[in-house]
Amino acid sequence: MTRIRTVTHGEYEILQVLLDSDLIANALVDLKYQMVPENDEVAEKRWASSVASVAQYMQNMSERRLHRLPKNHPRYKEKSA
């Protein structure tokens, strides 16, 4: 990994860790048990939609930073018009 070059570079790397983290996944499992009673299909559907929405939001945030990564970063991508 290269040294952090910009705040945006740092934001991108943080988002990647959050999206890939087992710690976050375990914390979400714990939260789900608190918020979704057993056999509650409505709560289960709301939970699944919430998780998908937040994951998509974080993925979009990450993708919007690709063109601002250092040019030698493996995920760097030029900004499209």
Side-chain angles (χ1 to χ4, degrees), residues 22-37 47 51:
D22 288 336
L23 284 174
I24 300 300
N26 291 336
L28 288 174
V29 169
D30 292 342
L31 182 59
K32 180 181 179 185
Y33 284 122
Q34 294 174 30
M35 298 187 76
V36 181
W47 176 260
V51 170

Side-chain angles (χ1 to χ4, degrees), residues 32-47:
K32 180 181 179 185
Y33 284 122
Q34 294 174 30
M35 298 187 76
V36 181
E38 283 189 47
N39 302 318
D40 186 334
E41 292 179 19
V42 173
E44 180 70 39
K45 186 175 179 180
R46 288 175 182 159
W47 176 260

Side-chain angles (χ1 to χ4, degrees), residues 4-70:
I4 187 171
R5 300 291 178 132
T6 63
V7 171
T8 305
H9 180 205
E11 290 170 348
Y12 173 83
E13 298 299 346
I14 290 166
L15 286 164
Q16 293 310 299
V17 168
L18 291 174
L19 287 167
D20 297 337
S21 174
D22 288 336
L23 284 174
I24 300 300
N26 291 336
L28 288 174
V29 169
D30 292 342
L31 182 59
K32 180 181 179 185
Y33 284 122
Q34 294 174 30
M35 298 187 76
V36 181
E38 283 189 47
N39 302 318
D40 186 334
E41 292 179 19
V42 173
E44 180 70 39
K45 186 175 179 180
R46 288 175 182 159
W47 176 260
S49 293
S50 299
V51 170
S53 176
V54 170
Q56 184 63 54
Y57 179 74
M58 290 174 64
Q59 187 64 39
N60 289 345
M61 287 176 68
S62 177
E63 288 173 10
R64 285 194 310 264
R65 285 157 174 76
L66 291 176
H67 72 280
R68 297 186 62 195
L69 292 173

Side-chain angles (χ1 to χ4, degrees), residues 63 65-69 71 75-81:
E63 288 173 10
R65 285 157 174 76
L66 291 176
H67 72 280
R68 297 186 62 195
L69 292 173
K71 291 188 189 229
R75 295 285 317 268
Y76 172 78
K77 187 176 176 182
E78 286 193 27
K79 187 172 184 176
S80 57

